[in-house]
Amino acid sequence: MRYFPGFLDAGDRLQLLGEVRSALEAAPPFTPTMPRTGKPFSVRMTNLGTLGWVSDRSGGYRYQTTHPVTGQAWPPIPDFLTAIWRKLADYPHLPEACLINLYSEKARMGLHRDADEDDFAAPVLSVSLGAEALFRIGGRERGDPTRSFRLKSGDVLLLAGETRLAYHGVDRIYPGTSSLPDGAFPGIARVNLTLRRVRRPS
């Protein structure tokens, strides 16, 4: 795991948030559901890239080329994000998916691991914007010991090597810490962007 606190300055964050707002117009947020129970996630989502991650009761966890509600192709990943990937990922191919997680102050993300991809040699790169979050990470088994730390707006996190399949999650959002522009993201306190390579290069 590699942690880059404050990787994005205020100007970078505003530029990236502008890109996200444009993407949300083309690919509006949706609420995924758990495959077995149909319980809705507390986090709303959308995607950028040639593939997008979705979850529902009928098809389970998966990647697909179209938005589950609109049926349209996902918007492309902005060059701003692929530049971060090129600089930090230490991987020769570009990401195919960028999952956008939209957290309210009450949302959380239970312990999970990103294992729906074919290529685990590629890292997972996460960019935090807005409110501070308590991030927790463990090992490759669900019962392994965990440690926690705060992720702040502009922080970047890279899961690679042994941590690529580590269990991780967000236990809480800290109220009153959001730096998102007023009115830009109604009801949203934190935006998280997760870049992934899905398929093995030929």
Side-chain angles (χ1 to χ4, degrees):
M1 184 184 76
R2 297 173 65 195
Y3 174 43
F4 303 89
F7 184 82
L8 300 180
D9 63 24
D12 290 337
R13 296 195 298 270
L14 282 176
Q15 179 179 341
L16 189 50
L17 286 169
E19 301 270 14
V20 171
R21 286 190 68 187
S22 297
L24 294 183
E25 294 177 5
F30 61 93
T31 303
T33 56
M34 299 294 293
R36 293 183 180 178
T37 64
K39 181 180 178 180
F41 284 39
S42 64
V43 175
R44 302 189 73 203
M45 299 179 177
T46 193
N47 290 273
L48 307 173
T50 55
L51 294 169
W53 189 88
V54 300
S55 174
D56 55 39
R57 198 164 189 175
S58 60
Y61 303 136
R62 65 193 186 279
Y63 285 93
Q64 62 185 45
T65 58
T66 56
H67 192 289
V69 179
T70 69
Q72 299 297 309
W74 306 105
I77 299 174
D79 292 342
F80 190 93
L81 280 174
T82 57
I84 298 173
W85 176 274
R86 289 182 189 276
K87 186 170 185 178
L88 302 180
D90 192 24
Y91 183 79
H93 303 282
L94 291 176
E96 297 171 292
C98 175
L99 176 62
I100 302 177
N101 288 322
L102 303 166
Y103 290 79
S104 69
E105 287 192 343
K106 295 182 179 180
R108 60 185 295 274
M109 183 73 72
L111 276 180
H112 67 283
R113 59 180 187 164
D114 298 341
D116 298 318
E117 301 77 33
D118 297 328
D119 190 5
F120 297 143
V124 172
L125 190 150
S126 170
V127 180
S128 295
L129 299 167
E132 297 177 16
L134 183 62
F135 178 80
R136 182 156 57 108
I137 185 167
R140 294 169 67 103
E141 302 295 331
R142 185 176 291 275
D144 287 345
T146 63
R147 58 185 174 126
S148 301
F149 57 95
R150 284 197 185 203
L151 287 176
K152 299 181 180 181
S153 189
D155 290 357
V156 173
L157 189 68
L158 193 74
L159 299 183
E162 286 299 310
T163 63
R164 171 59 181 80
L165 289 172
Y167 279 89
H168 59 281
V170 172
D171 286 339
R172 63 172 297 195
I173 303 298
Y174 290 94
T177 63
S178 182
S179 56
L180 298 180
D182 291 342
F185 298 89
I188 300 302
R190 178 178 186 255
V191 177
N192 178 249
L193 308 169
T194 304
L195 294 166
R196 302 168 180 166
R197 177 81 192 188
V198 180
R199 298 170 294 196
R200 289 189 181 94
S202 59

